[in-house]
Amino acid sequence: WNPIMNFAFNGDKAGAEFAVFTGDMEKDIAYWNKGYAVHANRFKLWMSPTDGLKFIFGLNGFNLNQETILWSKTDSGCEDYGYGINYANNGFALDVAFFFNWNKGVGKDSDYAWLKKAKDGKATIAPTALKAEYAADFGKINGILVAKETFKDLKFGAGYSNTFGGVNMFANVLGYYKDSFNKVRVELFAKGNIDGFGWSTFIAPNINLGDKTSVDLQFIARGDYAFGSVNAYLLVGGDGKDGRQGCKLGLVEDKSLDFTIQPGVSGNVGGASWDVGLKFDYQKDKPMLISVPLVLSMGF
């Protein structure tokens, strides 16, 4: 998911954003001998004809509240290509997104429609999302609805966020419905500082309903302490094997145990930054993987 370059061109009334990636080309469009390509992705065009109103084409996405450890762990939102509308005025904001399946085929098989009628005469609606939010002195409250499969697959929820005594926190409560009400998820986040020590934690219990009710707990945490221009940190639940994020502990009818622990140091030299750590990645009944991740970045 991590691009090698990001570009953004934003003005008062219009703007565009896109990212550049490298990676293996898809088999059906691999024209090069080695099947490796540099390609643009995650593009978005927007325009604002009047204050408070914005129209978006391309990548649309929003959520209730976002944890700031991995920036991708919340399940309280949606992201895909389509058409979006954003309206904001006096603390109230409304987002509506009409998605289409951008990656379904290429050429004549592509499908960029939100509403369509199949040969059998049945009309279908692609994923649709709605979010409403209000921010005031008492904090920020919001709600979301994400509907798929012509409103047969639903995700809905509500969130609240505020800052108390220097600690920023939020809570999201989510429900899932497909043929029946089948899952409840709660997301809790807190972040603060104590005498130069920064800490943050994200906890998400999941209650899976079905023939047998199972419960699991996902969590991530991070602590940071700065020594001049060098920052020492401990990350629990970072990116793991097979694309996993966060630690997972099975509590009821779930015997899973996955965790990733990474102590490390990071810093800056002019416009460049570096980050090196020692990562321990474990999945139940599998050998532990020990690695040394190194990240070098340049901003200009």
Side-chain angles (χ1 to χ4, degrees), residues 72 125 203 226 229:
S72 58
I125 300 175
I203 302 173
S229 60

Side-chain angles (χ1 to χ4, degrees), residues 20 28 37 42-43 60 64 78 95 106 110 160 169 171 182 194 201 213 217 223 234 239 241 244 266 286 295:
V20 176
D28 56 348
R42 299 184 66 82
F43 74 85
N60 278 264
L64 292 177
C78 55
D95 288 279
V106 294
S110 299
Y160 173 77
M169 60 183 63
N182 51 47
I194 303 174
T201 182
T213 299
L217 180 67
L234 175 64
D239 296 332
K241 292 186 291 185
R244 292 183 299 107
S266 62
K286 295 183 180 180
V295 178

Side-chain angles (χ1 to χ4, degrees), residues 6-19 44-47:
N6 283 303
F7 294 91
F9 310 91
N10 293 307
D12 294 333
K13 295 295 183 181
E17 301 176 16
F18 68 94
K44 176 172 67 176
L45 305 173
W46 66 268
M47 64 177 181

Side-chain angles (χ1 to χ4, degrees), residues 20-43:
V20 176
F21 294 78
T22 60
D24 294 332
M25 297 183 71
E26 296 180 15
K27 293 182 180 179
D28 56 348
I29 56 173
Y31 305 116
W32 297 0
N33 289 336
K34 295 185 178 180
Y36 199 75
V38 177
H39 54 97
N41 204 340
R42 299 184 66 82
F43 74 85

Side-chain angles (χ1 to χ4, degrees), residues 22 82 121 162 171 175 182 187 193 200 213 218 243 247 276 283:
T22 60
N162 206 346
N182 51 47
E187 298 180 343
N193 290 276
S200 51
T213 299
Q218 294 175 290
C247 300
V276 61
Q283 288 179 282

Side-chain angles (χ1 to χ4, degrees), residues 5 8 12 21 37 61 78 93 158 166 186 192 200 214 218 261 275 296:
M5 286 186 288
D12 294 333
F21 294 78
C78 55
V186 179
S200 51
S214 65
Q218 294 175 290
I261 299 176
D275 187 318
L296 303 175

Side-chain angles (χ1 to χ4, degrees), residues 144-196:
I144 195 169
L145 171 65
V146 181
K148 301 178 181 179
E149 298 182 9
T150 315
F151 286 83
K152 296 178 181 179
D153 183 350
L154 304 176
K155 177 172 67 177
F156 49 90
Y160 173 77
S161 64
N162 206 346
T163 300
F164 300 95
V167 177
N168 176 258
M169 60 183 63
F170 72 70
N172 298 329
V173 180
L174 303 169
Y176 301 78
Y177 181 92
K178 186 176 183 180
D179 298 326
S180 64
F181 186 68
N182 51 47
K183 182 179 176 180
V184 177
R185 176 179 170 91
V186 179
E187 298 180 343
L188 305 172
F189 174 78
K191 178 180 180 179
N193 290 276
I194 303 174
D195 297 329

